[in-house]
Amino acid sequence: MRKSLTILGATGSVGASVLKVIAHSPERYEVNALVAGNNVEALAKACRETGAKRAVIGDPSKYDALKSALAGTDIEVSAGREAVVEVAGQKVDMLVSAMVGAAGLEPTVAGIKAGSDIALANKETLVCAGTLVCALAEKQQSTLLPMDSEHNAIFQVFDQDDPKAVDKVIVTASGGPFRTASLEEMRVATPEMALKHPNWSMGQRITIDSATMVNKGLELIEAFHLFPIEADQLEVLVHPQSIVHGMVKYCDGSLLAHMATPDMCGPIAHCLAYPRRKAAPVADLDLGMIGRLDFEKPDFARFPALGLALDVMKQGDGAGTVFNAADEVAVEAFVARKIGFLQITQVLQLVLDRLHTQNMLGCPQELEEILQLDQVARRVANEVIGKLAA
């Protein structure tokens, strides 16, 4: 039987890889809907190629353009935030959550409520609402499958039947473009420099987050919710080749590692075919050609976002919501050259401190509380950025 899919973020970097995997085995999948933010041309092209039943564009001003681009087809067209959430709430075998940022939270929750299994590439869903989302998924019997390369790697080597045998879960990090840079070099870094990731081709925000290692902090929080472990069982190990994506250390001293070429098509194919495996359009991993694999401990002094994320993880979903929202705003400000590279993490700390003094970093009980806190954090982040830029 063909597996029915809805893809959120179909025109982004992850979405493009999902479409590549589908094209590799089109007989295995039936596309219910494709959702994009504002890229009409790419969305229309993908809908035609996959035979999607519905096309949804988040920007309501792009509705007419999308309708025109799909003229002559039977593809249903809709637009706006409500349409995104509505289509995500249509039950399918698997909802691929690949929207960028906190914007992916509400539609992902809608998919869980519908009982769809979730292939999760939107880490913000668990960073902002991990407690709520995991409880809801268990109640709805919706399987959460991690699609990020690191979490997918850990998922493949984690013994779900005997989690108490796990001693450590190790998330690897490439170190980004500034792995060996001094603080002074990072202080004057430009957006162009930060966007030159050595191994991965990704979207703008995640690439900047990789440079600050905020992304690895977000991944630690996500891993905390995905796997039955305690916060002190999580570690980060810098691995510049990006071949080992995750490791699990067991109580008997065994260290199981997942290795693959740095290509998102691998973890995507694993999720789409789960619980089986299927051939994927990825290059073979030739360790003989690579020759060596290097590892080093992260430098918390040069990348303070890691330590900040560990503190956030222990505080709960409220702190995660603020951490993520402040980062989204700070990255936009850095790209717009309003603040410097090192000021990104400074913004996060200042916003967290201010909202902590206002007792706003508790654990929200409802999705609406999380969405409201997200908006407050963005407003405060913009205020902080305004003062830093003055």
Side-chain angles (χ1 to χ4, degrees), residues 241-272:
Q241 290 92 352
S242 294
I243 298 299
V244 177
H245 301 286
M247 294 178 272
V248 176
K249 180 179 178 293
Y250 288 89
C251 59
D252 61 0
S254 299
L255 184 67
L256 301 190
H258 174 280
M259 295 188 288
T261 54
D263 186 333
M264 278 300 297
C265 287
I268 289 168
H270 178 264
C271 287
L272 295 190

PDB file of all heavy atoms in Angstrom, residues 241-272:
ATOM      1  N   GLN A 241      34.094  16.220  10.483  1.00  0.00           N
ATOM      2  CA  GLN A 241      33.784  15.560   9.214  1.00  0.00           C
ATOM      3  C   GLN A 241      32.290  15.299   9.010  1.00  0.00           C
ATOM      4  O   GLN A 241      31.861  15.000   7.896  1.00  0.00           O
ATOM      5  CB  GLN A 241      34.536  14.219   9.117  1.00  0.00           C
ATOM      6  CG  GLN A 241      36.036  14.360   8.934  1.00  0.00           C
ATOM      7  CD  GLN A 241      36.773  14.352  10.267  1.00  0.00           C
ATOM      8  OE1 GLN A 241      36.152  14.395  11.334  1.00  0.00           O
ATOM      9  NE2 GLN A 241      38.098  14.298  10.218  1.00  0.00           N
ATOM     10  N   SER A 242      31.491  15.376  10.056  1.00  0.00           N
ATOM     11  CA  SER A 242      30.040  15.117   9.977  1.00  0.00           C
ATOM     12  C   SER A 242      29.727  13.755   9.358  1.00  0.00           C
ATOM     13  O   SER A 242      28.813  13.611   8.535  1.00  0.00           O
ATOM     14  CB  SER A 242      29.329  16.225   9.180  1.00  0.00           C
ATOM     15  OG  SER A 242      29.407  17.454   9.854  1.00  0.00           O
ATOM     16  N   ILE A 243      30.468  12.745   9.778  1.00  0.00           N
ATOM     17  CA  ILE A 243      30.227  11.371   9.331  1.00  0.00           C
ATOM     18  C   ILE A 243      29.502  10.582  10.421  1.00  0.00           C
ATOM     19  O   ILE A 243      28.548   9.860  10.153  1.00  0.00           O
ATOM     20  CB  ILE A 243      31.550  10.667   8.963  1.00  0.00           C
ATOM     21  CG1 ILE A 243      32.227  11.390   7.790  1.00  0.00           C
ATOM     22  CG2 ILE A 243      31.310   9.194   8.632  1.00  0.00           C
ATOM     23  CD1 ILE A 243      31.414  11.431   6.522  1.00  0.00           C
ATOM     24  N   VAL A 244      29.952  10.740  11.661  1.00  0.00           N
ATOM     25  CA  VAL A 244      29.261  10.149  12.802  1.00  0.00           C
ATOM     26  C   VAL A 244      28.219  11.162  13.262  1.00  0.00           C
ATOM     27  O   VAL A 244      28.557  12.264  13.685  1.00  0.00           O
ATOM     28  CB  VAL A 244      30.240   9.827  13.952  1.00  0.00           C
ATOM     29  CG1 VAL A 244      29.472   9.284  15.157  1.00  0.00           C
ATOM     30  CG2 VAL A 244      31.286   8.823  13.493  1.00  0.00           C
ATOM     31  N   HIS A 245      26.949  10.799  13.184  1.00  0.00           N
ATOM     32  CA  HIS A 245      25.880  11.756  13.458  1.00  0.00           C
ATOM     33  C   HIS A 245      25.335  11.674  14.877  1.00  0.00           C
ATOM     34  O   HIS A 245      24.725  12.623  15.367  1.00  0.00           O
ATOM     35  CB  HIS A 245      24.750  11.571  12.445  1.00  0.00           C
ATOM     36  CG  HIS A 245      25.197  11.770  11.031  1.00  0.00           C
ATOM     37  ND1 HIS A 245      25.464  13.008  10.503  1.00  0.00           N
ATOM     38  CD2 HIS A 245      25.492  10.881  10.059  1.00  0.00           C
ATOM     39  CE1 HIS A 245      25.866  12.886   9.253  1.00  0.00           C
ATOM     40  NE2 HIS A 245      25.902  11.606   8.960  1.00  0.00           N
ATOM     41  N   GLY A 246      25.553  10.557  15.534  1.00  0.00           N
ATOM     42  CA  GLY A 246      25.094  10.409  16.901  1.00  0.00           C
ATOM     43  C   GLY A 246      25.612   9.112  17.485  1.00  0.00           C
ATOM     44  O   GLY A 246      25.906   8.159  16.752  1.00  0.00           O
ATOM     45  N   MET A 247      25.730   9.074  18.814  1.00  0.00           N
ATOM     46  CA  MET A 247      26.251   7.887  19.489  1.00  0.00           C
ATOM     47  C   MET A 247      25.477   7.641  20.770  1.00  0.00           C
ATOM     48  O   MET A 247      24.983   8.578  21.401  1.00  0.00           O
ATOM     49  CB  MET A 247      27.738   8.057  19.810  1.00  0.00           C
ATOM     50  CG  MET A 247      28.643   8.129  18.583  1.00  0.00           C
ATOM     51  SD  MET A 247      30.383   8.382  19.012  1.00  0.00           S
ATOM     52  CE  MET A 247      30.445  10.170  19.085  1.00  0.00           C
ATOM     53  N   VAL A 248      25.407   6.384  21.155  1.00  0.00           N
ATOM     54  CA  VAL A 248      24.808   6.000  22.428  1.00  0.00           C
ATOM     55  C   VAL A 248      25.802   5.114  23.168  1.00  0.00           C
ATOM     56  O   VAL A 248      26.248   4.088  22.642  1.00  0.00           O
ATOM     57  CB  VAL A 248      23.474   5.243  22.229  1.00  0.00           C
ATOM     58  CG1 VAL A 248      22.922   4.777  23.580  1.00  0.00           C
ATOM     59  CG2 VAL A 248      22.459   6.132  21.522  1.00  0.00           C
ATOM     60  N   LYS A 249      26.152   5.525  24.394  1.00  0.00           N
ATOM     61  CA  LYS A 249      27.061   4.751  25.242  1.00  0.00           C
ATOM     62  C   LYS A 249      26.230   3.961  26.248  1.00  0.00           C
ATOM     63  O   LYS A 249      25.340   4.506  26.898  1.00  0.00           O
ATOM     64  CB  LYS A 249      28.038   5.677  25.966  1.00  0.00           C
ATOM     65  CG  LYS A 249      29.028   4.959  26.869  1.00  0.00           C
ATOM     66  CD  LYS A 249      29.966   5.956  27.529  1.00  0.00           C
ATOM     67  CE  LYS A 249      30.936   5.254  28.476  1.00  0.00           C
ATOM     68  NZ  LYS A 249      30.231   4.688  29.642  1.00  0.00           N
ATOM     69  N   TYR A 250      26.533   2.674  26.360  1.00  0.00           N
ATOM     70  CA  TYR A 250      25.782   1.802  27.243  1.00  0.00           C
ATOM     71  C   TYR A 250      26.560   1.498  28.521  1.00  0.00           C
ATOM     72  O   TYR A 250      27.777   1.742  28.604  1.00  0.00           O
ATOM     73  CB  TYR A 250      25.400   0.520  26.503  1.00  0.00           C
ATOM     74  CG  TYR A 250      24.319   0.756  25.476  1.00  0.00           C
ATOM     75  CD1 TYR A 250      24.649   1.110  24.161  1.00  0.00           C
ATOM     76  CD2 TYR A 250      22.976   0.686  25.824  1.00  0.00           C
ATOM     77  CE1 TYR A 250      23.660   1.363  23.223  1.00  0.00           C
ATOM     78  CE2 TYR A 250      21.984   0.940  24.890  1.00  0.00           C
ATOM     79  CZ  TYR A 250      22.326   1.275  23.597  1.00  0.00           C
ATOM     80  OH  TYR A 250      21.337   1.543  22.671  1.00  0.00           O
ATOM     81  N   CYS A 251      25.848   0.958  29.505  1.00  0.00           N
ATOM     82  CA  CYS A 251      26.436   0.729  30.822  1.00  0.00           C
ATOM     83  C   CYS A 251      27.576  -0.283  30.794  1.00  0.00           C
ATOM     84  O   CYS A 251      28.407  -0.307  31.709  1.00  0.00           O
ATOM     85  CB  CYS A 251      25.363   0.286  31.812  1.00  0.00           C
ATOM     86  SG  CYS A 251      24.489  -1.224  31.332  1.00  0.00           S
ATOM     87  N   ASP A 252      27.640  -1.121  29.749  1.00  0.00           N
ATOM     88  CA  ASP A 252      28.722  -2.107  29.662  1.00  0.00           C
ATOM     89  C   ASP A 252      29.956  -1.562  28.958  1.00  0.00           C
ATOM     90  O   ASP A 252      30.902  -2.297  28.672  1.00  0.00           O
ATOM     91  CB  ASP A 252      28.236  -3.379  28.955  1.00  0.00           C
ATOM     92  CG  ASP A 252      27.781  -3.124  27.516  1.00  0.00           C
ATOM     93  OD1 ASP A 252      27.834  -1.954  27.060  1.00  0.00           O
ATOM     94  OD2 ASP A 252      27.356  -4.086  26.854  1.00  0.00           O
ATOM     95  N   GLY A 253      29.948  -0.258  28.666  1.00  0.00           N
ATOM     96  CA  GLY A 253      31.094   0.376  28.015  1.00  0.00           C
ATOM     97  C   GLY A 253      31.000   0.418  26.504  1.00  0.00           C
ATOM     98  O   GLY A 253      31.843   1.053  25.845  1.00  0.00           O
ATOM     99  N   SER A 254      29.988  -0.235  25.921  1.00  0.00           N
ATOM    100  CA  SER A 254      29.834  -0.227  24.471  1.00  0.00           C
ATOM    101  C   SER A 254      29.395   1.161  23.994  1.00  0.00           C
ATOM    102  O   SER A 254      28.568   1.813  24.637  1.00  0.00           O
ATOM    103  CB  SER A 254      28.774  -1.255  24.037  1.00  0.00           C
ATOM    104  OG  SER A 254      29.159  -2.554  24.416  1.00  0.00           O
ATOM    105  N   LEU A 255      29.949   1.578  22.870  1.00  0.00           N
ATOM    106  CA  LEU A 255      29.583   2.854  22.260  1.00  0.00           C
ATOM    107  C   LEU A 255      29.108   2.576  20.851  1.00  0.00           C
ATOM    108  O   LEU A 255      29.890   2.209  19.977  1.00  0.00           O
ATOM    109  CB  LEU A 255      30.782   3.806  22.239  1.00  0.00           C
ATOM    110  CG  LEU A 255      30.523   5.222  21.720  1.00  0.00           C
ATOM    111  CD1 LEU A 255      29.607   5.984  22.658  1.00  0.00           C
ATOM    112  CD2 LEU A 255      31.836   5.974  21.537  1.00  0.00           C
ATOM    113  N   LEU A 256      27.798   2.718  20.616  1.00  0.00           N
ATOM    114  CA  LEU A 256      27.240   2.468  19.296  1.00  0.00           C
ATOM    115  C   LEU A 256      27.096   3.792  18.558  1.00  0.00           C
ATOM    116  O   LEU A 256      26.507   4.738  19.078  1.00  0.00           O
ATOM    117  CB  LEU A 256      25.875   1.785  19.413  1.00  0.00           C
ATOM    118  CG  LEU A 256      25.822   0.444  20.153  1.00  0.00           C
ATOM    119  CD1 LEU A 256      24.450  -0.208  19.969  1.00  0.00           C
ATOM    120  CD2 LEU A 256      26.924  -0.502  19.701  1.00  0.00           C
ATOM    121  N   ALA A 257      27.628   3.825  17.339  1.00  0.00           N
ATOM    122  CA  ALA A 257      27.617   5.055  16.548  1.00  0.00           C
ATOM    123  C   ALA A 257      26.907   4.826  15.227  1.00  0.00           C
ATOM    124  O   ALA A 257      26.992   3.740  14.636  1.00  0.00           O
ATOM    125  CB  ALA A 257      29.051   5.532  16.296  1.00  0.00           C
ATOM    126  N   HIS A 258      26.226   5.843  14.761  1.00  0.00           N
ATOM    127  CA  HIS A 258      25.609   5.814  13.438  1.00  0.00           C
ATOM    128  C   HIS A 258      26.443   6.687  12.511  1.00  0.00           C
ATOM    129  O   HIS A 258      26.714   7.849  12.816  1.00  0.00           O
ATOM    130  CB  HIS A 258      24.180   6.352  13.504  1.00  0.00           C
ATOM    131  CG  HIS A 258      23.524   6.483  12.160  1.00  0.00           C
ATOM    132  ND1 HIS A 258      23.769   7.543  11.321  1.00  0.00           N
ATOM    133  CD2 HIS A 258      22.640   5.684  11.510  1.00  0.00           C
ATOM    134  CE1 HIS A 258      23.059   7.402  10.210  1.00  0.00           C
ATOM    135  NE2 HIS A 258      22.362   6.276  10.306  1.00  0.00           N
ATOM    136  N   MET A 259      26.847   6.104  11.366  1.00  0.00           N
ATOM    137  CA  MET A 259      27.665   6.830  10.405  1.00  0.00           C
ATOM    138  C   MET A 259      26.978   6.869   9.044  1.00  0.00           C
ATOM    139  O   MET A 259      26.367   5.888   8.623  1.00  0.00           O
ATOM    140  CB  MET A 259      29.040   6.184  10.271  1.00  0.00           C
ATOM    141  CG  MET A 259      29.881   6.248  11.531  1.00  0.00           C
ATOM    142  SD  MET A 259      31.599   5.688  11.277  1.00  0.00           S
ATOM    143  CE  MET A 259      31.338   3.929  11.081  1.00  0.00           C
ATOM    144  N   ALA A 260      27.096   7.996   8.374  1.00  0.00           N
ATOM    145  CA  ALA A 260      26.533   8.153   7.034  1.00  0.00           C
ATOM    146  C   ALA A 260      27.107   9.417   6.417  1.00  0.00           C
ATOM    147  O   ALA A 260      27.639  10.288   7.122  1.00  0.00           O
ATOM    148  CB  ALA A 260      25.008   8.238   7.082  1.00  0.00           C
ATOM    149  N   THR A 261      27.007   9.534   5.106  1.00  0.00           N
ATOM    150  CA  THR A 261      27.423  10.768   4.452  1.00  0.00           C
ATOM    151  C   THR A 261      26.512  11.909   4.919  1.00  0.00           C
ATOM    152  O   THR A 261      25.345  11.674   5.248  1.00  0.00           O
ATOM    153  CB  THR A 261      27.326  10.642   2.923  1.00  0.00           C
ATOM    154  OG1 THR A 261      25.994  10.219   2.579  1.00  0.00           O
ATOM    155  CG2 THR A 261      28.317   9.635   2.388  1.00  0.00           C
ATOM    156  N   PRO A 262      27.015  13.136   4.962  1.00  0.00           N
ATOM    157  CA  PRO A 262      26.181  14.270   5.405  1.00  0.00           C
ATOM    158  C   PRO A 262      25.167  14.667   4.337  1.00  0.00           C
ATOM    159  O   PRO A 262      25.362  15.605   3.571  1.00  0.00           O
ATOM    160  CB  PRO A 262      27.204  15.385   5.668  1.00  0.00           C
ATOM    161  CG  PRO A 262      28.381  15.035   4.815  1.00  0.00           C
ATOM    162  CD  PRO A 262      28.416  13.544   4.727  1.00  0.00           C
ATOM    163  N   ASP A 263      24.071  13.919   4.292  1.00  0.00           N
ATOM    164  CA  ASP A 263      23.026  14.111   3.285  1.00  0.00           C
ATOM    165  C   ASP A 263      21.691  13.832   3.953  1.00  0.00           C
ATOM    166  O   ASP A 263      21.447  12.719   4.444  1.00  0.00           O
ATOM    167  CB  ASP A 263      23.253  13.149   2.111  1.00  0.00           C
ATOM    168  CG  ASP A 263      22.303  13.390   0.949  1.00  0.00           C
ATOM    169  OD1 ASP A 263      21.185  13.891   1.179  1.00  0.00           O
ATOM    170  OD2 ASP A 263      22.675  13.064  -0.197  1.00  0.00           O
ATOM    171  N   MET A 264      20.794  14.813   3.966  1.00  0.00           N
ATOM    172  CA  MET A 264      19.511  14.662   4.644  1.00  0.00           C
ATOM    173  C   MET A 264      18.621  13.581   4.021  1.00  0.00           C
ATOM    174  O   MET A 264      17.673  13.102   4.657  1.00  0.00           O
ATOM    175  CB  MET A 264      18.757  15.988   4.654  1.00  0.00           C
ATOM    176  CG  MET A 264      19.179  16.944   5.753  1.00  0.00           C
ATOM    177  SD  MET A 264      18.952  16.252   7.417  1.00  0.00           S
ATOM    178  CE  MET A 264      17.177  16.038   7.463  1.00  0.00           C
ATOM    179  N   CYS A 265      18.916  13.167   2.810  1.00  0.00           N
ATOM    180  CA  CYS A 265      18.095  12.131   2.184  1.00  0.00           C
ATOM    181  C   CYS A 265      18.153  10.817   2.958  1.00  0.00           C
ATOM    182  O   CYS A 265      17.194  10.035   2.919  1.00  0.00           O
ATOM    183  CB  CYS A 265      18.531  11.905   0.736  1.00  0.00           C
ATOM    184  SG  CYS A 265      18.052  13.239  -0.392  1.00  0.00           S
ATOM    185  N   GLY A 266      19.258  10.572   3.666  1.00  0.00           N
ATOM    186  CA  GLY A 266      19.375   9.349   4.450  1.00  0.00           C
ATOM    187  C   GLY A 266      18.365   9.269   5.581  1.00  0.00           C
ATOM    188  O   GLY A 266      17.539   8.335   5.624  1.00  0.00           O
ATOM    189  N   PRO A 267      18.399  10.220   6.541  1.00  0.00           N
ATOM    190  CA  PRO A 267      17.417  10.164   7.618  1.00  0.00           C
ATOM    191  C   PRO A 267      15.977  10.337   7.143  1.00  0.00           C
ATOM    192  O   PRO A 267      15.054   9.769   7.732  1.00  0.00           O
ATOM    193  CB  PRO A 267      17.834  11.312   8.546  1.00  0.00           C
ATOM    194  CG  PRO A 267      18.745  12.182   7.749  1.00  0.00           C
ATOM    195  CD  PRO A 267      19.412  11.270   6.769  1.00  0.00           C
ATOM    196  N   ILE A 268      15.776  11.085   6.058  1.00  0.00           N
ATOM    197  CA  ILE A 268      14.429  11.238   5.508  1.00  0.00           C
ATOM    198  C   ILE A 268      13.908   9.892   5.011  1.00  0.00           C
ATOM    199  O   ILE A 268      12.778   9.489   5.306  1.00  0.00           O
ATOM    200  CB  ILE A 268      14.416  12.281   4.376  1.00  0.00           C
ATOM    201  CG1 ILE A 268      14.605  13.684   4.952  1.00  0.00           C
ATOM    202  CG2 ILE A 268      13.118  12.200   3.569  1.00  0.00           C
ATOM    203  CD1 ILE A 268      14.895  14.741   3.913  1.00  0.00           C
ATOM    204  N   ALA A 269      14.736   9.169   4.267  1.00  0.00           N
ATOM    205  CA  ALA A 269      14.336   7.863   3.752  1.00  0.00           C
ATOM    206  C   ALA A 269      14.039   6.897   4.894  1.00  0.00           C
ATOM    207  O   ALA A 269      13.101   6.099   4.815  1.00  0.00           O
ATOM    208  CB  ALA A 269      15.426   7.294   2.849  1.00  0.00           C
ATOM    209  N   HIS A 270      14.825   6.979   5.970  1.00  0.00           N
ATOM    210  CA  HIS A 270      14.584   6.111   7.120  1.00  0.00           C
ATOM    211  C   HIS A 270      13.215   6.390   7.733  1.00  0.00           C
ATOM    212  O   HIS A 270      12.465   5.463   8.066  1.00  0.00           O
ATOM    213  CB  HIS A 270      15.684   6.315   8.169  1.00  0.00           C
ATOM    214  CG  HIS A 270      15.490   5.496   9.399  1.00  0.00           C
ATOM    215  ND1 HIS A 270      14.886   5.997  10.536  1.00  0.00           N
ATOM    216  CD2 HIS A 270      15.788   4.202   9.680  1.00  0.00           C
ATOM    217  CE1 HIS A 270      14.833   5.062  11.460  1.00  0.00           C
ATOM    218  NE2 HIS A 270      15.378   3.963  10.974  1.00  0.00           N
ATOM    219  N   CYS A 271      12.873   7.664   7.874  1.00  0.00           N
ATOM    220  CA  CYS A 271      11.570   8.021   8.456  1.00  0.00           C
ATOM    221  C   CYS A 271      10.414   7.623   7.549  1.00  0.00           C
ATOM    222  O   CYS A 271       9.417   7.047   8.010  1.00  0.00           O
ATOM    223  CB  CYS A 271      11.508   9.522   8.728  1.00  0.00           C
ATOM    224  SG  CYS A 271      12.497  10.077  10.125  1.00  0.00           S
ATOM    225  N   LEU A 272      10.526   7.924   6.259  1.00  0.00           N
ATOM    226  CA  LEU A 272       9.416   7.661   5.347  1.00  0.00           C
ATOM    227  C   LEU A 272       9.138   6.169   5.206  1.00  0.00           C
ATOM    228  O   LEU A 272       7.995   5.764   5.007  1.00  0.00           O
ATOM    229  CB  LEU A 272       9.702   8.271   3.970  1.00  0.00           C
ATOM    230  CG  LEU A 272       9.794   9.794   3.883  1.00  0.00           C
ATOM    231  CD1 LEU A 272       9.836  10.241   2.427  1.00  0.00           C
ATOM    232  CD2 LEU A 272       8.639  10.477   4.603  1.00  0.00           C
TER     233      LEU A 272
END
